[in-house]
Amino acid sequence: MANPTAVLLCAAWIGLTWAQSTVDPVSYLSKVSAPTYTVAQYWKDFKPSPQHDAIVATAPDTWKVLPAEFEPKFKNPCWTDSYNRFRCIPYFQILGVSKCGTTDLFARLKRHPELADGSKGPHFWD
């Protein structure tokens, strides 16, 4: 059986070492640069693949609502549809299995002033 004093000293040393370490969980972000393109420009320059018609045939209802061009003043791909409704495709999605923290992350992100209030769940095309 291990000496309780030795175990306690070892745990204290590990805790002290951990507390003194300088772990920066976002240090990788300094190496990431902003995109040099806009979604509107990317969409405008889009050249369909030879299989484009086959891809559209798998989900024609989705492709019908996409615009010919997006409004360039928005970061997200946004447009006004034929019913004069302002629509935006999500810039990112949060994916996760049940009980993995996505609801908490969603609630925290909703508080950010630059994020629009979106729906929680896969209901974008509803």
Short mmCIF file of all heavy atoms in Angstrom, two decimals, residues 24-74:
data_model
loop_
_atom_site.label_atom_id
_atom_site.label_comp_id
_atom_site.label_asym_id
_atom_site.label_seq_id
_atom_site.Cartn_x
_atom_site.Cartn_y
_atom_site.Cartn_z
N ASP A 24 -2.25 28.17 -23.07
CA ASP A 24 -3.12 29.16 -23.71
C ASP A 24 -4.00 28.43 -24.72
O ASP A 24 -3.54 28.05 -25.79
CB ASP A 24 -2.27 30.22 -24.42
CG ASP A 24 -3.13 31.31 -25.04
OD1 ASP A 24 -4.36 31.28 -24.88
OD2 ASP A 24 -2.55 32.18 -25.71
N PRO A 25 -5.28 28.18 -24.39
CA PRO A 25 -6.12 27.36 -25.26
C PRO A 25 -6.48 28.00 -26.59
O PRO A 25 -7.03 27.34 -27.46
CB PRO A 25 -7.37 27.13 -24.40
CG PRO A 25 -7.40 28.29 -23.46
CD PRO A 25 -5.96 28.64 -23.20
N VAL A 26 -6.18 29.28 -26.77
CA VAL A 26 -6.50 29.92 -28.05
C VAL A 26 -5.26 30.42 -28.79
O VAL A 26 -5.35 31.22 -29.70
CB VAL A 26 -7.50 31.09 -27.87
CG1 VAL A 26 -8.84 30.58 -27.38
CG2 VAL A 26 -6.95 32.14 -26.92
N SER A 27 -4.10 29.93 -28.39
CA SER A 27 -2.86 30.41 -29.00
C SER A 27 -2.81 30.13 -30.51
O SER A 27 -2.18 30.88 -31.26
CB SER A 27 -1.66 29.79 -28.31
OG SER A 27 -1.68 28.38 -28.46
N TYR A 28 -3.46 29.07 -30.96
CA TYR A 28 -3.44 28.75 -32.38
C TYR A 28 -4.16 29.81 -33.23
O TYR A 28 -3.90 29.95 -34.42
CB TYR A 28 -4.07 27.38 -32.63
CG TYR A 28 -5.56 27.36 -32.45
CD1 TYR A 28 -6.41 27.54 -33.53
CD2 TYR A 28 -6.14 27.19 -31.20
CE1 TYR A 28 -7.79 27.54 -33.38
CE2 TYR A 28 -7.50 27.19 -31.02
CZ TYR A 28 -8.31 27.36 -32.12
OH TYR A 28 -9.66 27.36 -31.96
N LEU A 29 -5.05 30.59 -32.62
CA LEU A 29 -5.82 31.57 -33.38
C LEU A 29 -4.96 32.71 -33.93
O LEU A 29 -5.31 33.33 -34.93
CB LEU A 29 -6.95 32.15 -32.53
CG LEU A 29 -8.07 31.17 -32.19
CD1 LEU A 29 -9.04 31.80 -31.23
CD2 LEU A 29 -8.76 30.70 -33.44
N SER A 30 -3.82 32.97 -33.31
CA SER A 30 -2.96 34.05 -33.80
C SER A 30 -2.38 33.71 -35.16
O SER A 30 -1.95 34.60 -35.90
CB SER A 30 -1.84 34.33 -32.80
OG SER A 30 -0.99 33.20 -32.69
N LYS A 31 -2.37 32.43 -35.51
CA LYS A 31 -1.83 32.00 -36.80
C LYS A 31 -2.90 31.94 -37.89
O LYS A 31 -2.60 31.68 -39.04
CB LYS A 31 -1.18 30.63 -36.64
CG LYS A 31 -0.05 30.62 -35.64
CD LYS A 31 0.47 29.21 -35.41
CE LYS A 31 1.47 29.19 -34.29
NZ LYS A 31 0.92 28.74 -33.04
N VAL A 32 -4.16 32.16 -37.52
CA VAL A 32 -5.27 32.08 -38.47
C VAL A 32 -5.59 33.47 -38.98
O VAL A 32 -5.76 34.40 -38.21
CB VAL A 32 -6.52 31.47 -37.79
CG1 VAL A 32 -7.69 31.45 -38.75
CG2 VAL A 32 -6.22 30.09 -37.27
N SER A 33 -5.63 33.62 -40.29
CA SER A 33 -5.96 34.93 -40.85
C SER A 33 -7.39 34.93 -41.39
O SER A 33 -7.95 33.88 -41.70
CB SER A 33 -4.98 35.29 -41.97
OG SER A 33 -5.02 34.31 -42.98
N ALA A 34 -7.95 36.10 -41.48
CA ALA A 34 -9.31 36.24 -41.99
C ALA A 34 -9.33 35.88 -43.48
O ALA A 34 -8.34 36.06 -44.19
CB ALA A 34 -9.80 37.66 -41.79
N PRO A 35 -10.45 35.38 -43.97
CA PRO A 35 -10.54 35.07 -45.39
C PRO A 35 -10.33 36.30 -46.25
O PRO A 35 -10.68 37.42 -45.86
CB PRO A 35 -11.98 34.55 -45.56
CG PRO A 35 -12.48 34.27 -44.21
CD PRO A 35 -11.68 35.08 -43.26
N THR A 36 -9.76 36.10 -47.41
CA THR A 36 -9.52 37.21 -48.33
C THR A 36 -10.64 37.32 -49.36
O THR A 36 -10.51 38.05 -50.33
CB THR A 36 -8.18 37.03 -49.05
OG1 THR A 36 -8.20 35.77 -49.75
CG2 THR A 36 -7.02 37.05 -48.07
N TYR A 37 -11.71 36.60 -49.18
CA TYR A 37 -12.83 36.61 -50.11
C TYR A 37 -14.12 36.81 -49.33
O TYR A 37 -14.16 36.64 -48.13
CB TYR A 37 -12.90 35.29 -50.88
CG TYR A 37 -13.12 34.10 -49.97
CD1 TYR A 37 -14.41 33.69 -49.63
CD2 TYR A 37 -12.06 33.41 -49.41
CE1 TYR A 37 -14.62 32.63 -48.77
CE2 TYR A 37 -12.26 32.35 -48.56
CZ TYR A 37 -13.54 31.96 -48.25
OH TYR A 37 -13.75 30.91 -47.40
N THR A 38 -15.16 37.17 -50.04
CA THR A 38 -16.49 37.22 -49.44
C THR A 38 -17.29 36.05 -49.99
O THR A 38 -16.99 35.53 -51.07
CB THR A 38 -17.23 38.53 -49.77
OG1 THR A 38 -17.45 38.57 -51.18
CG2 THR A 38 -16.43 39.74 -49.32
N VAL A 39 -18.29 35.63 -49.24
CA VAL A 39 -19.13 34.54 -49.71
C VAL A 39 -19.83 34.92 -51.01
O VAL A 39 -19.95 34.12 -51.93
CB VAL A 39 -20.16 34.14 -48.62
CG1 VAL A 39 -21.14 33.11 -49.15
CG2 VAL A 39 -19.43 33.60 -47.40
N ALA A 40 -20.23 36.19 -51.10
CA ALA A 40 -20.91 36.66 -52.32
C ALA A 40 -19.99 36.52 -53.53
O ALA A 40 -20.43 36.07 -54.60
CB ALA A 40 -21.34 38.12 -52.15
N GLN A 41 -18.72 36.88 -53.38
CA GLN A 41 -17.78 36.76 -54.50
C GLN A 41 -17.51 35.29 -54.83
O GLN A 41 -17.45 34.91 -55.99
CB GLN A 41 -16.46 37.48 -54.17
CG GLN A 41 -15.48 37.51 -55.32
CD GLN A 41 -16.03 38.28 -56.53
OE1 GLN A 41 -16.63 39.33 -56.37
NE2 GLN A 41 -15.83 37.76 -57.71
N TYR A 42 -17.35 34.49 -53.80
CA TYR A 42 -17.11 33.06 -54.00
C TYR A 42 -18.27 32.42 -54.76
O TYR A 42 -18.08 31.64 -55.67
CB TYR A 42 -16.90 32.38 -52.65
CG TYR A 42 -16.39 30.97 -52.74
CD1 TYR A 42 -15.05 30.71 -52.96
CD2 TYR A 42 -17.26 29.90 -52.61
CE1 TYR A 42 -14.58 29.42 -53.05
CE2 TYR A 42 -16.81 28.60 -52.69
CZ TYR A 42 -15.46 28.37 -52.91
OH TYR A 42 -15.00 27.08 -53.01
N TRP A 43 -19.50 32.75 -54.36
CA TRP A 43 -20.69 32.21 -55.02
C TRP A 43 -20.78 32.70 -56.47
O TRP A 43 -21.12 31.95 -57.36
CB TRP A 43 -21.92 32.62 -54.24
CG TRP A 43 -23.20 32.02 -54.72
CD1 TRP A 43 -24.17 32.63 -55.45
CD2 TRP A 43 -23.67 30.68 -54.52
NE1 TRP A 43 -25.20 31.78 -55.71
CE2 TRP A 43 -24.92 30.57 -55.15
CE3 TRP A 43 -23.14 29.58 -53.86
CZ2 TRP A 43 -25.64 29.39 -55.13
CZ3 TRP A 43 -23.87 28.41 -53.85
CH2 TRP A 43 -25.11 28.33 -54.49
N LYS A 44 -20.45 33.96 -56.68
CA LYS A 44 -20.51 34.53 -58.03
C LYS A 44 -19.51 33.84 -58.97
O LYS A 44 -19.80 33.60 -60.13
CB LYS A 44 -20.19 36.03 -57.95
CG LYS A 44 -20.29 36.78 -59.24
CD LYS A 44 -20.01 38.24 -58.99
CE LYS A 44 -19.87 38.99 -60.29
NZ LYS A 44 -19.44 40.37 -60.07
N ASP A 45 -18.35 33.47 -58.44
CA ASP A 45 -17.30 32.83 -59.23
C ASP A 45 -17.44 31.31 -59.28
O ASP A 45 -16.61 30.63 -59.88
CB ASP A 45 -15.92 33.17 -58.66
CG ASP A 45 -15.60 34.65 -58.76
OD1 ASP A 45 -16.25 35.36 -59.57
OD2 ASP A 45 -14.72 35.12 -58.01
N PHE A 46 -18.48 30.77 -58.66
CA PHE A 46 -18.67 29.32 -58.59
C PHE A 46 -18.84 28.71 -59.98
O PHE A 46 -19.62 29.18 -60.79
CB PHE A 46 -19.90 29.02 -57.74
CG PHE A 46 -20.30 27.57 -57.72
CD1 PHE A 46 -19.52 26.65 -57.05
CD2 PHE A 46 -21.44 27.14 -58.37
CE1 PHE A 46 -19.88 25.31 -57.02
CE2 PHE A 46 -21.81 25.81 -58.35
CZ PHE A 46 -21.03 24.89 -57.68
N LYS A 47 -18.07 27.66 -60.23
CA LYS A 47 -18.19 26.92 -61.48
C LYS A 47 -18.64 25.50 -61.12
O LYS A 47 -17.94 24.76 -60.46
CB LYS A 47 -16.83 26.84 -62.19
CG LYS A 47 -16.19 28.18 -62.48
CD LYS A 47 -16.90 28.90 -63.61
CE LYS A 47 -16.19 30.17 -63.98
NZ LYS A 47 -16.71 31.37 -63.40
N PRO A 48 -19.85 25.13 -61.55
CA PRO A 48 -20.37 23.80 -61.17
C PRO A 48 -19.51 22.66 -61.72
O PRO A 48 -18.90 22.78 -62.77
CB PRO A 48 -21.75 23.76 -61.82
CG PRO A 48 -22.08 25.16 -62.19
CD PRO A 48 -20.78 25.88 -62.34
N SER A 49 -19.50 21.57 -60.98
CA SER A 49 -18.78 20.37 -61.42
C SER A 49 -19.57 19.69 -62.54
O SER A 49 -20.76 19.97 -62.73
CB SER A 49 -18.59 19.42 -60.25
OG SER A 49 -19.81 18.78 -59.95
N PRO A 50 -18.95 18.78 -63.26
CA PRO A 50 -19.69 18.05 -64.30
C PRO A 50 -20.87 17.26 -63.74
O PRO A 50 -21.81 16.97 -64.47
CB PRO A 50 -18.63 17.10 -64.88
CG PRO A 50 -17.32 17.75 -64.56
CD PRO A 50 -17.53 18.47 -63.27
N GLN A 51 -20.85 16.91 -62.46
CA GLN A 51 -21.94 16.15 -61.84
C GLN A 51 -22.99 17.07 -61.21
O GLN A 51 -23.86 16.61 -60.47
CB GLN A 51 -21.39 15.22 -60.75
CG GLN A 51 -20.48 14.13 -61.26
CD GLN A 51 -19.03 14.61 -61.36
OE1 GLN A 51 -18.67 15.64 -60.81
NE2 GLN A 51 -18.22 13.87 -62.09
N HIS A 52 -22.96 18.35 -61.51
CA HIS A 52 -23.86 19.32 -60.87
C HIS A 52 -25.33 18.94 -61.03
O HIS A 52 -26.10 18.98 -60.08
CB HIS A 52 -23.60 20.72 -61.42
CG HIS A 52 -24.43 21.77 -60.76
ND1 HIS A 52 -24.19 22.21 -59.49
CD2 HIS A 52 -25.52 22.46 -61.20
CE1 HIS A 52 -25.07 23.13 -59.16
NE2 HIS A 52 -25.90 23.30 -60.17
N ASP A 53 -25.74 18.57 -62.21
CA ASP A 53 -27.15 18.22 -62.43
C ASP A 53 -27.57 17.01 -61.59
O ASP A 53 -28.67 16.98 -61.05
CB ASP A 53 -27.42 17.95 -63.91
CG ASP A 53 -27.30 19.22 -64.75
OD1 ASP A 53 -27.45 20.33 -64.17
OD2 ASP A 53 -27.06 19.10 -65.97
N ALA A 54 -26.68 16.04 -61.44
CA ALA A 54 -26.99 14.87 -60.62
C ALA A 54 -27.09 15.26 -59.15
O ALA A 54 -27.93 14.76 -58.41
CB ALA A 54 -25.92 13.79 -60.81
N ILE A 55 -26.22 16.19 -58.72
CA ILE A 55 -26.27 16.66 -57.32
C ILE A 55 -27.57 17.41 -57.06
O ILE A 55 -28.24 17.18 -56.06
CB ILE A 55 -25.05 17.55 -57.03
CG1 ILE A 55 -23.76 16.72 -57.10
CG2 ILE A 55 -25.18 18.23 -55.68
CD1 ILE A 55 -22.50 17.55 -57.11
N VAL A 56 -27.96 18.28 -57.97
CA VAL A 56 -29.20 19.04 -57.82
C VAL A 56 -30.40 18.10 -57.80
O VAL A 56 -31.35 18.30 -57.04
CB VAL A 56 -29.34 20.09 -58.95
CG1 VAL A 56 -30.71 20.73 -58.94
CG2 VAL A 56 -28.25 21.15 -58.81
N ALA A 57 -30.34 17.05 -58.60
CA ALA A 57 -31.46 16.10 -58.67
C ALA A 57 -31.68 15.37 -57.34
O ALA A 57 -32.79 14.93 -57.05
CB ALA A 57 -31.22 15.08 -59.78
N THR A 58 -30.65 15.27 -56.50
CA THR A 58 -30.81 14.59 -55.21
C THR A 58 -31.59 15.43 -54.21
O THR A 58 -32.16 14.89 -53.27
CB THR A 58 -29.45 14.21 -54.60
OG1 THR A 58 -28.71 15.40 -54.33
CG2 THR A 58 -28.68 13.29 -55.51
N ALA A 59 -31.58 16.76 -54.36
CA ALA A 59 -32.30 17.65 -53.44
C ALA A 59 -32.78 18.88 -54.20
O ALA A 59 -32.36 20.01 -53.92
CB ALA A 59 -31.40 18.06 -52.28
N PRO A 60 -33.69 18.71 -55.14
CA PRO A 60 -34.11 19.84 -55.96
C PRO A 60 -34.80 20.95 -55.17
O PRO A 60 -34.68 22.12 -55.51
CB PRO A 60 -35.06 19.22 -56.99
CG PRO A 60 -35.49 17.93 -56.38
CD PRO A 60 -34.38 17.48 -55.50
N ASP A 61 -35.52 20.60 -54.10
CA ASP A 61 -36.21 21.62 -53.31
C ASP A 61 -35.23 22.58 -52.64
O ASP A 61 -35.50 23.77 -52.50
CB ASP A 61 -37.12 20.97 -52.26
CG ASP A 61 -36.38 20.00 -51.36
OD1 ASP A 61 -35.40 19.38 -51.83
OD2 ASP A 61 -36.78 19.85 -50.20
N THR A 62 -34.06 22.09 -52.24
CA THR A 62 -33.04 22.94 -51.64
C THR A 62 -32.47 23.89 -52.68
O THR A 62 -32.31 25.09 -52.43
CB THR A 62 -31.92 22.09 -51.03
OG1 THR A 62 -32.49 21.25 -50.03
CG2 THR A 62 -30.83 22.95 -50.43
N TRP A 63 -32.16 23.38 -53.83
CA TRP A 63 -31.52 24.20 -54.87
C TRP A 63 -32.47 25.25 -55.43
O TRP A 63 -32.02 26.29 -55.90
CB TRP A 63 -30.97 23.31 -55.97
CG TRP A 63 -29.76 22.58 -55.49
CD1 TRP A 63 -29.73 21.38 -54.85
CD2 TRP A 63 -28.41 23.02 -55.57
NE1 TRP A 63 -28.44 21.04 -54.53
CE2 TRP A 63 -27.61 22.03 -54.97
CE3 TRP A 63 -27.79 24.15 -56.10
CZ2 TRP A 63 -26.23 22.14 -54.88
CZ3 TRP A 63 -26.42 24.25 -56.01
CH2 TRP A 63 -25.65 23.26 -55.41
N LYS A 64 -33.77 25.02 -55.35
CA LYS A 64 -34.74 26.00 -55.87
C LYS A 64 -34.72 27.29 -55.06
O LYS A 64 -34.99 28.36 -55.61
CB LYS A 64 -36.15 25.42 -55.85
CG LYS A 64 -36.42 24.40 -56.91
CD LYS A 64 -37.83 23.87 -56.77
CE LYS A 64 -38.03 22.66 -57.65
NZ LYS A 64 -39.32 22.03 -57.41
N VAL A 65 -34.45 27.21 -53.77
CA VAL A 65 -34.51 28.41 -52.94
C VAL A 65 -33.20 29.20 -52.90
O VAL A 65 -33.17 30.32 -52.42
CB VAL A 65 -34.94 28.09 -51.49
CG1 VAL A 65 -36.33 27.49 -51.47
CG2 VAL A 65 -33.94 27.20 -50.79
N LEU A 66 -32.12 28.62 -53.40
CA LEU A 66 -30.85 29.34 -53.41
C LEU A 66 -30.88 30.44 -54.47
O LEU A 66 -31.41 30.25 -55.56
CB LEU A 66 -29.68 28.39 -53.66
CG LEU A 66 -29.38 27.43 -52.52
CD1 LEU A 66 -28.28 26.45 -52.93
CD2 LEU A 66 -28.98 28.18 -51.26
N PRO A 67 -30.32 31.58 -54.16
CA PRO A 67 -30.38 32.71 -55.09
C PRO A 67 -29.32 32.63 -56.19
O PRO A 67 -28.37 31.85 -56.10
CB PRO A 67 -30.07 33.90 -54.17
CG PRO A 67 -29.12 33.33 -53.19
CD PRO A 67 -29.60 31.93 -52.93
N ALA A 68 -29.48 33.47 -57.18
CA ALA A 68 -28.47 33.58 -58.23
C ALA A 68 -27.22 34.27 -57.67
O ALA A 68 -26.10 33.98 -58.10
CB ALA A 68 -29.02 34.35 -59.42
N GLU A 69 -27.41 35.18 -56.73
CA GLU A 69 -26.28 35.84 -56.07
C GLU A 69 -26.65 36.23 -54.65
O GLU A 69 -27.82 36.38 -54.32
CB GLU A 69 -25.81 37.05 -56.86
CG GLU A 69 -26.83 38.16 -57.01
CD GLU A 69 -26.32 39.31 -57.86
OE1 GLU A 69 -25.93 39.07 -59.01
OE2 GLU A 69 -26.30 40.44 -57.35
N PHE A 70 -25.61 36.38 -53.83
CA PHE A 70 -25.80 36.79 -52.43
C PHE A 70 -25.49 38.27 -52.29
O PHE A 70 -24.79 38.85 -53.10
CB PHE A 70 -24.86 36.00 -51.51
CG PHE A 70 -25.20 34.55 -51.40
CD1 PHE A 70 -24.31 33.58 -51.82
CD2 PHE A 70 -26.41 34.14 -50.87
CE1 PHE A 70 -24.62 32.23 -51.71
CE2 PHE A 70 -26.73 32.80 -50.75
CZ PHE A 70 -25.83 31.85 -51.17
N GLU A 71 -26.02 38.86 -51.22
CA GLU A 71 -25.74 40.27 -50.94
C GLU A 71 -24.34 40.39 -50.34
O GLU A 71 -24.05 39.78 -49.31
CB GLU A 71 -26.79 40.82 -49.98
CG GLU A 71 -28.18 40.84 -50.60
CD GLU A 71 -29.19 41.56 -49.74
OE1 GLU A 71 -28.80 42.42 -48.94
OE2 GLU A 71 -30.38 41.25 -49.87
N PRO A 72 -23.46 41.16 -50.96
CA PRO A 72 -22.06 41.21 -50.52
C PRO A 72 -21.81 41.93 -49.20
O PRO A 72 -20.73 41.79 -48.63
CB PRO A 72 -21.35 41.94 -51.67
CG PRO A 72 -22.41 42.72 -52.35
CD PRO A 72 -23.69 41.95 -52.16
N LYS A 73 -22.76 42.67 -48.67
CA LYS A 73 -22.51 43.42 -47.44
C LYS A 73 -22.61 42.58 -46.17
O LYS A 73 -22.33 43.06 -45.08
CB LYS A 73 -23.43 44.63 -47.34
CG LYS A 73 -24.89 44.32 -47.27
CD LYS A 73 -25.72 45.59 -47.26
CE LYS A 73 -27.19 45.26 -47.32
NZ LYS A 73 -28.00 46.45 -47.34
N PHE A 74 -22.98 41.30 -46.30
CA PHE A 74 -23.12 40.43 -45.14
C PHE A 74 -22.05 39.35 -45.16
O PHE A 74 -21.68 38.85 -46.22
CB PHE A 74 -24.50 39.77 -45.11
CG PHE A 74 -25.61 40.77 -44.97
CD1 PHE A 74 -26.35 41.14 -46.07
CD2 PHE A 74 -25.89 41.33 -43.74
CE1 PHE A 74 -27.36 42.07 -45.96
CE2 PHE A 74 -26.90 42.26 -43.61
CZ PHE A 74 -27.64 42.64 -44.72
#
